Amino acid sequence: MTKSHAVTMDYALPKDGTTKNNVVRRASLAGGVGSFVEWYDYGIYGLLVSSLVLVFSASDMSTTDSGLMLTYLGFTVSFFVRPFGGVICGYLGDKMGRQKLLAILLLMISLATAAIGLLPSYASIGWAAPALLILLRIVQGFSAGGEVSGAGSFVAEYAEDHRRAVVMSPLVMGSFIALLFGSLLISGLINVFGTEAMTAWVWRVPFLLAIPMALIGVYIRTRIEDTPHFQMVKANKRVVRNPLREVLSSKRHLKAIGLAITLPAVNGPGYYILFVYMPTYLNKVMHFQQIQSLMVTACGLITIIATIPMMAWLSDRLGRKPLLVASAIAMALLAWPCFWLLTLGMFPLACMAAVLLAFAFAGHAGVIQATLAEMFPTNVRYSAYSIGFNLSTVIFGGSAPLLMTWLIGMTGIASIPSYMVIFTAALTLISTLYLKETAGKPLAAE
């Protein structure tokens, strides 16, 4: 396998060191920009839930938990579609290659996002409005299901073995930069136009921005060839006839998929509770002003964006397991105290809590995508990676905002999100004990 790997690099990348590094940097940039566009499109919905609940719910529901639950239904439904998107895109990606498919996915989610910005309100067309909203969220979910594993496979297959997590870090940072940009954009719009205008029409602006972003992202993704590892598999005629059958009929792959479901368990609450759900939690449950809620989230986002490259660098040198273990322990220990700080209703303490949780989560976020990519061989990587990670996201992430809203409304206990973080952190910690160290090792071809 080592000999085959050497052939891969000579086959697809220039032999000149400087040119080769430039190609790797372009692949890393393409992953980062694509991730930014994809997750801006996907995450802006969560950041705007406070406004969307007023636009797409009946007037007697818009100020109640029922309206919020209805709006979060659109959030949750999109997650249940993700495994289907992951399976279909994984099959196509392992058969046809990664590059063209990723450009198509980016265009698909951007068009769906822009369409949300053009939807009539509930007051205009009644229940057809939330129904169309949920339909477009399904399209977004399908695209997102193929994005993470496809982009992760793409960048990992370009990266050097000894610095794979560092090369992949822009891909991971892109999703958080997208949320930060969205938070700051919405905060700026509220400051300029006011809350009433935000509900009336300004909420459409962030969704419509998806079109120019898509043009930039698709352009960058189509300017780089498919990955050296996939090109080698294709040249050696090792492309699997049916990647899904290959994955699901192999005990080795099934075992790895099982680990790929539980290992990133804390990734779901870490991303969707700490960053996507947090503005709504602070606004609706803790009664912070909407702009304060967004700024607290922005503090956490700035922290994790700044910290991810350092964590990726450490994992390339110390290994994936030490970072995953340390992050899981830190998340479990900090979750309850930090959510308790949020319940005090004080803006500075809320910002401190967001920063602490973001720093703890960075050790996981900066490592997990490289780890998952390294667990599977090139000929089935996209398919297996998609199945494992998307199922994990559905189980531990997608239902989190809806579940948290329901549980808090039923029990009145504001610290409930911390218990989900603790539970998933413990599951990630246990799963890491079964992980074989992959840092610095060549990617398997088959």
Side-chain angles (χ1 to χ4, degrees):
M1 186 179 74
T2 304
K3 183 177 180 181
S4 173
H5 179 74
V7 172
T8 302
M9 303 311 289
D10 288 340
Y11 169 77
L13 289 178
K15 293 182 179 181
D16 176 71
T18 302
T19 305
K20 178 179 173 180
N21 289 337
N22 288 337
V23 172
V24 173
R25 279 196 292 269
R26 286 205 306 272
S28 182
L29 174 65
V33 172
S35 175
F36 172 86
V37 176
E38 185 89 16
W39 295 105
Y40 170 83
D41 290 349
Y42 196 70
I44 200 71
Y45 182 96
L47 295 174
L48 281 169
V49 160
S50 296
S51 297
L52 296 179
V53 69
L54 301 175
V55 175
F56 290 99
S57 301
S59 58
D60 59 338
M61 294 175 61
S62 61
T63 57
T64 66
D65 287 342
S66 298
L68 192 59
M69 291 280 283
L70 176 65
T71 311
Y72 267 130
L73 178 62
F75 190 90
T76 304
V77 165
S78 70
F79 279 87
F80 285 104
V81 181
R82 284 183 61 160
F84 296 100
V87 167
I88 294 171
C89 294
Y91 176 90
L92 295 174
D94 283 332
K95 291 280 288 182
M96 301 164 44
R98 290 77 161 103
Q99 182 252 6
K100 290 182 180 179
L101 183 60
L102 287 171
I104 292 171
L105 290 174
L106 192 62
L107 189 60
M108 180 188 299
I109 195 171
S110 296
L111 290 175
T113 303
I116 291 176
L118 296 172
L119 285 178
S121 66
Y122 182 94
S124 299
I125 61 172
W127 285 102
L132 288 171
L133 179 66
I134 291 173
L135 178 62
L136 290 171
R137 283 296 291 175
I138 289 173
V139 177
Q140 287 185 315
F142 182 93
S143 174
E147 166 67 22
V148 176
S149 49
S153 298
F154 183 85
V155 179
E157 290 170 8
Y158 261 105
E160 304 97 326
D161 297 332
H162 66 283
R163 57 192 301 268
R164 188 168 292 115
V166 167
V167 173
M168 292 183 71
S169 60
L171 173 72
V172 181
M173 292 164 64
S175 61
F176 293 103
I177 294 173
L179 286 178
L180 176 61
F181 175 77
S183 297
L184 296 178
L185 172 65
I186 296 167
S187 299
L189 291 173
I190 292 172
N191 273 330
V192 173
F193 296 101
T195 305
E196 290 186 8
M198 194 73 190
T199 304
W201 64 273
V202 177
W203 67 269
R204 300 179 184 276
V205 174
F207 287 101
L208 295 175
L209 280 177
I211 294 298
M213 289 183 184
L215 295 176
I216 297 171
V218 170
Y219 174 79
I220 291 176
R221 279 192 168 174
T222 54
R223 299 294 292 178
I224 189 168
E225 295 181 358
D226 220 322
T227 73
H229 286 264
F230 183 80
Q231 289 188 51
M232 185 276 289
V233 168
K234 189 174 180 180
N236 291 342
K237 298 181 179 180
R238 298 293 186 182
V239 175
V240 178
R241 183 183 298 273
N242 189 330
L244 291 177
R245 182 184 300 169
E246 179 76 15
V247 167
L248 298 177
S249 62
S250 166
K251 291 183 179 180
R252 176 170 65 95
H253 293 329
L254 288 173
K255 182 179 179 180
I257 288 173
L259 189 59
I261 293 173
T262 57
L263 188 65
V266 76
N267 194 76
Y271 187 84
Y272 294 102
I273 289 182
L274 299 188
F275 299 107
V276 177
Y277 172 63
M278 185 61 75
T280 303
Y281 173 80
L282 292 173
N283 180 231
K284 297 294 185 181
V285 180
M286 294 294 100
H287 305 295
F288 281 77
Q289 295 179 4
Q290 188 175 11
I291 186 117
Q292 288 182 318
S293 304
L294 290 167
M295 294 312 297
V296 170
T297 306
C299 288
L301 287 166
I302 291 170
T303 301
I304 198 167
I305 291 166
T307 312
I308 280 174
M310 179 183 70
M311 298 300 181
W313 181 84
L314 285 173
S315 79
D316 279 334
R317 281 147 185 80
L318 304 178
R320 312 297 184 221
K321 294 181 70 171
L323 270 294
L324 290 171
V325 167
S327 177
I329 293 174
M331 289 285 284
L333 293 177
L334 288 173
W336 192 89
C338 285
F339 271 89
W340 176 76
L341 288 176
L342 295 176
T343 64
L344 298 179
M346 299 175 64
F347 180 72
L349 292 180
C351 290
M352 184 175 73
V355 167
L356 288 173
L357 286 170
F359 186 83
F361 182 54
H364 181 90
V367 175
I368 189 62
Q369 299 304 333
T371 305
L372 294 175
E374 292 164 345
M375 287 170 60
F376 304 103
T378 300
N379 61 346
V380 296
R381 179 170 295 116
Y382 201 154
S383 298
Y385 188 169
S386 288
I387 294 171
F389 186 72
N390 280 303
L391 286 176
S392 180
T393 303
V394 168
I395 296 168
F396 302 111
S399 60
L402 183 64
L403 181 63
M404 295 302 100
T405 300
W406 178 69
L407 287 175
I408 291 172
M410 184 177 69
T411 65
I413 302 174
S415 60
I416 277 180
S418 68
Y419 303 132
M420 187 167 184
V421 174
I422 293 169
F423 169 72
T424 53
L427 187 55
T428 290
L429 179 61
I430 294 169
S431 300
T432 305
L433 302 178
Y434 294 91
L435 178 69
K436 292 182 180 180
E437 185 58 69
T438 55
K441 297 180 181 179
L443 294 176
E446 56 183 304

